[in-house]
């Protein structure tokens, strides 16, 4: 455990109610604070906690504490598990060396992961950095909006709208099959000429700060599902690109188009790819998919797509197969290293 610092804050200094942040902004404002080993107590770091009750659990409880740092360190750690993570790093960590050292302990962030339900008591997978793991799990969600057509075409950019255009239908659809997940009720369907749609994900706007992306480069897991009608052939295609702040492509996944023959079993197929150890500077993700039918029939006989996802995940034990390019696909990391030119992201 880190060594204790000297006298710090008196109990009267710590409020048990939430207080507004500093007028100067989200970062703590310590100007004009009293001198001492803590350099004053920053705004915003007010903790709702029953200090006296916890103090009674100490081996030799006192009638009053001269400093909150007189609490046993295991109680301080327990206290910190109840404080919002951003407040711990932006405010509490600046109070004194003891708090800084405790907040930097991986034990604290593992406890917070357990408390938030991110892991279970019997968790046995290796984690390189519990603090980063906690923040990535806090942000864990599908970054694509309206992936299952529940809101018609909302949030999707229509890049090509050939034939009778994109359409939304309910599962299983004519000459179709049920989706593996019964919660998925609808799908997007293409026509007899090329239909493509896309979304551009802004990672910084979604809460992933630049240092996190560039230093730790968490895995970016992309998934998509497609199926054909049993009575009509079709061609399906997918392209995912990672781009910089100025829209230069840094990595890409673009497998060869998949052609399904007429009179097929109409089963749903999942496509999955994990971007790992990609170049620094990634700020955007372009996801584009679609296709057309091969019979050139009027109506909606092309590939059906649904349940697409982009998820940023903590790095776990590396699975080499998940990051290897399939035969014929474009692997952006290798292309970027070999080509003297940089491709620019095409936003339709």
């Amino acid at each position: 455990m880190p060594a204790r610092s000297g006298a710090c804050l008196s109990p009267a200094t710590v409020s048990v109610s939430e207080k507004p942040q500093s007028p100067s902004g989200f970062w703590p404002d310590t100007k004009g604070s009293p001198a001492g080993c803590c350099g004053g107590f920053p705004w915003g770091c007010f903790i709702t906690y029953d200090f006296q009750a916890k103090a009674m659990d100490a081996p030799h409880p006192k009638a009053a504490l001269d400093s909150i740092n007189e609490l046993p360190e295991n109680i301080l750690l327990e206290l910190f598990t109840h404080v919002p993570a951003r407040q711990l790093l932006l405010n509490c960590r600046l109070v004194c060396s003891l708090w800084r050292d405790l907040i930097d302990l991986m034990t604290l962030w593992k406890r917070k992961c357990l408390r938030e339900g991110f892991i279970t008591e019997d968790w046995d997978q290796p984690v390189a950095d519990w603090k980063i793991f906690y923040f990535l799990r806090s942000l864990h969600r599908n970054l694509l909006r309206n992936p299952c057509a529940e809101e018609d075409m909302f949030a999707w950019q229509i890049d090509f709208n050939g034939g009778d255009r994109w359409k939304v239908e309910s599962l299983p659809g004519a000459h179709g099959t049920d989706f593996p997940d019964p919660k998925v009720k609808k799908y997007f369907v293409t026509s007899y000429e090329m239909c493509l749609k896309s979304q551009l994900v802004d990672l910084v706007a979604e809460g992933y700060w630049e240092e996190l992306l560039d230093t730790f480069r968490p895995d970016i897991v992309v998934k998509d599902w497609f199926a054909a009608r049993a009575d009509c052939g079709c061609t399906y295609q997918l392209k995912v690109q990672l781009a910089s702040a100025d829209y230069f492509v840094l990595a890409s996944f673009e497998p060869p188009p998949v052609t399904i023959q007429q009179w097929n079993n109409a089963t749903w197929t999942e496509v999955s790819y994990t971007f790992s150890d990609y170049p620094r500077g990634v700020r955007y993700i372009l996801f584009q998919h679609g296709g057309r039918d091969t019979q050139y029939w009027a109506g909606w006989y092309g590939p059906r797509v649904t349940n697409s996802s982009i998820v940023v995940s903590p790095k776990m034990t590396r699975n080499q197969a998940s990051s290897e390019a399939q035969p014929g696909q474009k692997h952006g990391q290798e292309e970027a290293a070999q080509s003297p030119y940089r491709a620019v992201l095409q936003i339709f």
Side-chain angles (χ1 to χ4, degrees), residues 53-170:
K54 284 294 181 182
M56 294 302 294
D57 294 334
H60 301 288
K62 300 179 181 179
L65 296 175
D66 294 328
S67 166
I68 186 177
N69 285 6
E70 293 181 13
L71 288 171
E73 289 175 0
N74 66 320
I75 293 181
L76 285 174
L77 276 176
E78 176 62 24
L79 182 154
F80 289 148
T81 63
H82 297 268
V83 179
R86 291 181 65 86
Q87 294 295 324
L88 283 176
L89 296 181
L90 296 179
N91 293 333
C92 299
R93 193 176 178 277
L94 306 181
V95 170
C96 61
S97 60
L98 173 63
W99 286 28
R100 179 199 63 205
D101 293 342
L102 289 175
I103 290 169
D104 286 346
L105 286 176
M106 292 298 104
T107 302
L108 169 63
W109 297 96
K110 186 174 181 179
R111 287 189 188 183
K112 288 183 73 66
C113 287
L114 188 61
R115 183 174 182 272
E116 296 290 338
F118 298 156
I119 62 172
T120 57
E121 290 282 0
D122 58 352
W123 180 273
D124 60 356
Q125 298 185 45
V127 175
D129 189 312
W130 280 102
K131 185 189 302 182
I132 298 303
F133 181 89
Y134 175 87
F135 277 101
L136 288 174
R137 287 294 298 155
S138 299
L139 293 167
H140 188 271
R141 65 194 185 281
N142 186 359
L143 298 179
L144 291 178
R145 303 167 69 185
N146 188 29
C148 301
E150 293 296 337
E151 301 175 83
D152 199 65
M153 301 301 297
F154 173 74
W156 291 97
Q157 169 70 36
I158 304 302
D159 302 327
F160 288 95
N161 213 12
D164 287 321
R165 304 184 175 186
W166 281 97
K167 185 183 179 184
V168 170
E169 295 180 347
S170 297

Side-chain angles (χ1 to χ4, degrees), residues 272-346:
S272 179
Y273 183 77
T274 300
F275 288 95
S276 300
D277 301 322
Y278 42 83
R280 290 177 173 82
V282 171
R283 299 294 180 266
Y284 295 99
I285 305 174
L286 175 69
F287 179 99
Q288 183 191 67
H289 65 174
R292 50 169 293 177
D293 77 52
T294 56
Q295 310 301 125
Y296 209 73
W297 289 350
W300 298 272
Y301 291 84
R304 300 163 172 183
V305 293
T306 193
N307 203 37
S308 313
S309 64
I310 297 175
V311 176
V312 179
S313 300
K315 285 187 178 181
M316 307 302 292
T317 303
R318 177 65 60 239
N319 181 359
Q320 294 296 335
S322 68
S323 58
E324 291 178 354
Q326 298 176 3
Q329 83 180 38
K330 296 180 180 178
H331 197 292
Q333 291 96 319
E334 295 176 359
E335 289 184 347
Q338 296 172 0
S339 173
Y341 305 102
R342 293 196 296 171
V344 179
L345 192 68
Q346 295 182 3

